[in-house]
Short mmCIF file of all heavy atoms in Angstrom, two decimals:
data_model
loop_
_atom_site.label_atom_id
_atom_site.label_comp_id
_atom_site.label_asym_id
_atom_site.label_seq_id
_atom_site.Cartn_x
_atom_site.Cartn_y
_atom_site.Cartn_z
N SER A 43 11.28 -3.50 17.86
CA SER A 43 12.71 -3.56 18.15
C SER A 43 13.46 -4.23 17.01
O SER A 43 14.55 -3.79 16.62
CB SER A 43 12.95 -4.29 19.46
OG SER A 43 14.32 -4.35 19.75
N ILE A 44 12.89 -5.29 16.47
CA ILE A 44 13.49 -5.97 15.32
C ILE A 44 13.61 -5.01 14.14
O ILE A 44 14.64 -4.95 13.47
CB ILE A 44 12.67 -7.23 14.94
CG1 ILE A 44 12.86 -8.31 16.01
CG2 ILE A 44 13.06 -7.75 13.56
CD1 ILE A 44 11.89 -9.47 15.90
N LEU A 45 12.56 -4.23 13.91
CA LEU A 45 12.59 -3.24 12.84
C LEU A 45 13.63 -2.16 13.14
O LEU A 45 14.46 -1.83 12.29
CB LEU A 45 11.20 -2.61 12.69
CG LEU A 45 11.07 -1.53 11.63
CD1 LEU A 45 11.32 -2.10 10.24
CD2 LEU A 45 9.69 -0.89 11.71
N LYS A 46 13.62 -1.64 14.36
CA LYS A 46 14.52 -0.56 14.77
C LYS A 46 15.99 -0.95 14.63
O LYS A 46 16.83 -0.16 14.23
CB LYS A 46 14.22 -0.16 16.21
CG LYS A 46 15.08 0.96 16.74
CD LYS A 46 14.77 1.23 18.19
CE LYS A 46 15.40 0.18 19.03
NZ LYS A 46 16.16 0.61 20.16
N ASN A 47 16.29 -2.20 14.94
CA ASN A 47 17.68 -2.68 14.92
C ASN A 47 18.12 -3.20 13.55
O ASN A 47 19.22 -3.75 13.43
CB ASN A 47 17.88 -3.74 15.99
CG ASN A 47 17.76 -3.15 17.38
OD1 ASN A 47 18.27 -2.08 17.65
ND2 ASN A 47 17.04 -3.83 18.26
N GLY A 48 17.27 -3.03 12.54
CA GLY A 48 17.65 -3.41 11.18
C GLY A 48 17.65 -4.90 10.92
O GLY A 48 18.27 -5.36 9.97
N ARG A 49 16.97 -5.67 11.76
CA ARG A 49 16.94 -7.12 11.58
C ARG A 49 15.68 -7.60 10.88
O ARG A 49 15.54 -8.79 10.60
CB ARG A 49 17.08 -7.81 12.94
CG ARG A 49 18.44 -7.59 13.58
CD ARG A 49 18.63 -8.44 14.82
NE ARG A 49 17.46 -8.43 15.67
CZ ARG A 49 17.36 -7.81 16.84
NH1 ARG A 49 18.38 -7.15 17.32
NH2 ARG A 49 16.25 -7.86 17.53
N ALA A 50 14.75 -6.69 10.57
CA ALA A 50 13.51 -7.09 9.90
C ALA A 50 13.80 -7.46 8.45
O ALA A 50 14.64 -6.84 7.79
CB ALA A 50 12.50 -5.95 9.96
N LYS A 51 13.13 -8.48 7.96
CA LYS A 51 13.29 -8.90 6.57
C LYS A 51 12.22 -8.28 5.69
O LYS A 51 12.37 -8.26 4.48
CB LYS A 51 13.22 -10.42 6.48
CG LYS A 51 14.38 -11.10 7.20
CD LYS A 51 14.29 -12.60 7.04
CE LYS A 51 15.31 -13.29 7.89
NZ LYS A 51 16.61 -13.38 7.30
N ALA A 52 11.16 -7.76 6.32
CA ALA A 52 10.06 -7.16 5.56
C ALA A 52 9.23 -6.30 6.51
O ALA A 52 9.35 -6.42 7.73
CB ALA A 52 9.17 -8.25 4.97
N ILE A 53 8.41 -5.43 5.93
CA ILE A 53 7.46 -4.65 6.71
C ILE A 53 6.18 -4.56 5.89
O ILE A 53 6.23 -4.32 4.67
CB ILE A 53 8.01 -3.25 7.08
CG1 ILE A 53 7.03 -2.50 7.96
CG2 ILE A 53 8.40 -2.47 5.85
CD1 ILE A 53 7.57 -1.23 8.57
N ARG A 54 5.06 -4.77 6.54
CA ARG A 54 3.77 -4.65 5.85
C ARG A 54 3.44 -3.18 5.63
O ARG A 54 3.79 -2.34 6.45
CB ARG A 54 2.65 -5.26 6.69
CG ARG A 54 2.77 -6.74 6.87
CD ARG A 54 1.69 -7.21 7.84
NE ARG A 54 1.93 -8.59 8.16
CZ ARG A 54 1.03 -9.55 7.96
NH1 ARG A 54 -0.17 -9.26 7.50
NH2 ARG A 54 1.31 -10.79 8.25
N PHE A 55 2.78 -2.89 4.54
CA PHE A 55 2.36 -1.51 4.29
C PHE A 55 1.45 -1.00 5.40
O PHE A 55 1.52 0.17 5.76
CB PHE A 55 1.67 -1.38 2.94
CG PHE A 55 2.60 -1.39 1.76
CD1 PHE A 55 2.17 -1.87 0.54
CD2 PHE A 55 3.90 -0.91 1.85
CE1 PHE A 55 3.02 -1.87 -0.56
CE2 PHE A 55 4.75 -0.91 0.77
CZ PHE A 55 4.30 -1.39 -0.45
N SER A 56 0.61 -1.88 5.95
CA SER A 56 -0.29 -1.46 7.03
C SER A 56 0.52 -1.05 8.26
O SER A 56 0.19 -0.06 8.93
CB SER A 56 -1.29 -2.55 7.38
OG SER A 56 -0.63 -3.74 7.78
N THR A 57 1.59 -1.77 8.55
CA THR A 57 2.46 -1.43 9.68
C THR A 57 3.18 -0.12 9.40
O THR A 57 3.25 0.77 10.26
CB THR A 57 3.50 -2.54 9.93
OG1 THR A 57 2.79 -3.75 10.23
CG2 THR A 57 4.44 -2.20 11.06
N LEU A 58 3.72 0.03 8.21
CA LEU A 58 4.40 1.25 7.83
C LEU A 58 3.46 2.45 7.92
O LEU A 58 3.83 3.51 8.44
CB LEU A 58 4.95 1.11 6.41
CG LEU A 58 5.74 2.28 5.83
CD1 LEU A 58 6.95 2.61 6.71
CD2 LEU A 58 6.17 1.95 4.42
N SER A 59 2.23 2.27 7.47
CA SER A 59 1.23 3.34 7.53
C SER A 59 0.94 3.75 8.96
O SER A 59 0.87 4.95 9.28
CB SER A 59 -0.07 2.91 6.85
OG SER A 59 0.11 2.76 5.48
N LYS A 60 0.78 2.77 9.85
CA LYS A 60 0.49 3.07 11.26
C LYS A 60 1.65 3.82 11.90
O LYS A 60 1.44 4.79 12.63
CB LYS A 60 0.22 1.78 12.03
CG LYS A 60 -1.09 1.12 11.69
CD LYS A 60 -1.21 -0.19 12.45
CE LYS A 60 -2.41 -0.98 12.00
NZ LYS A 60 -2.47 -2.30 12.68
N ILE A 61 2.87 3.38 11.65
CA ILE A 61 4.05 4.05 12.22
C ILE A 61 4.12 5.49 11.70
O ILE A 61 4.34 6.42 12.48
CB ILE A 61 5.33 3.27 11.89
CG1 ILE A 61 5.36 1.93 12.64
CG2 ILE A 61 6.57 4.09 12.25
CD1 ILE A 61 6.47 0.99 12.22
N CYS A 62 3.92 5.67 10.41
CA CYS A 62 3.97 7.02 9.83
C CYS A 62 2.86 7.91 10.38
O CYS A 62 3.08 9.09 10.64
CB CYS A 62 3.90 6.96 8.31
SG CYS A 62 5.42 6.33 7.55
N ASP A 63 1.68 7.35 10.60
CA ASP A 63 0.57 8.12 11.18
C ASP A 63 0.93 8.61 12.57
O ASP A 63 0.75 9.78 12.89
CB ASP A 63 -0.71 7.27 11.26
CG ASP A 63 -1.37 7.05 9.90
OD1 ASP A 63 -1.04 7.79 8.94
OD2 ASP A 63 -2.22 6.15 9.82
N VAL A 64 1.44 7.72 13.40
CA VAL A 64 1.76 8.06 14.79
C VAL A 64 2.95 9.03 14.87
O VAL A 64 2.94 9.97 15.65
CB VAL A 64 2.03 6.79 15.63
CG1 VAL A 64 2.58 7.14 16.99
CG2 VAL A 64 0.75 5.97 15.77
N LEU A 65 3.97 8.81 14.05
CA LEU A 65 5.16 9.65 14.09
C LEU A 65 5.05 10.89 13.19
O LEU A 65 5.96 11.71 13.15
CB LEU A 65 6.40 8.84 13.68
CG LEU A 65 6.77 7.70 14.63
CD1 LEU A 65 8.00 6.96 14.10
CD2 LEU A 65 7.03 8.22 16.04
N HIS A 66 3.92 11.01 12.48
CA HIS A 66 3.70 12.16 11.58
C HIS A 66 4.88 12.32 10.62
O HIS A 66 5.52 13.37 10.56
CB HIS A 66 3.46 13.45 12.37
CG HIS A 66 2.36 13.33 13.38
ND1 HIS A 66 1.04 13.25 13.02
CD2 HIS A 66 2.40 13.26 14.72
CE1 HIS A 66 0.30 13.14 14.11
NE2 HIS A 66 1.11 13.13 15.16
N CYS A 67 5.15 11.24 9.90
CA CYS A 67 6.28 11.25 8.97
C CYS A 67 5.89 10.56 7.68
O CYS A 67 4.80 10.01 7.56
CB CYS A 67 7.50 10.57 9.60
SG CYS A 67 7.33 8.78 9.83
N GLN A 68 6.78 10.61 6.73
CA GLN A 68 6.63 9.93 5.46
C GLN A 68 7.49 8.66 5.49
O GLN A 68 8.48 8.60 6.23
CB GLN A 68 7.10 10.83 4.31
CG GLN A 68 6.23 12.05 4.10
CD GLN A 68 4.83 11.67 3.67
OE1 GLN A 68 4.64 10.87 2.76
NE2 GLN A 68 3.84 12.25 4.34
N PRO A 69 7.15 7.64 4.68
CA PRO A 69 7.97 6.43 4.65
C PRO A 69 9.45 6.70 4.40
O PRO A 69 10.32 6.06 4.97
CB PRO A 69 7.35 5.59 3.52
CG PRO A 69 5.92 6.02 3.50
CD PRO A 69 5.95 7.50 3.83
#
Side-chain angles (χ1 to χ4, degrees):
S43 181
I44 289 168
L45 179 64
K46 181 183 77 131
N47 293 317
R49 294 188 316 252
K51 295 182 188 277
I53 184 170
R54 294 174 188 237
F55 283 151
S56 59
T57 300
L58 182 59
S59 293
K60 289 177 188 176
I61 291 171
C62 288
D63 286 344
V64 170
L65 295 179
H66 306 289
C67 68
Q68 293 295 312

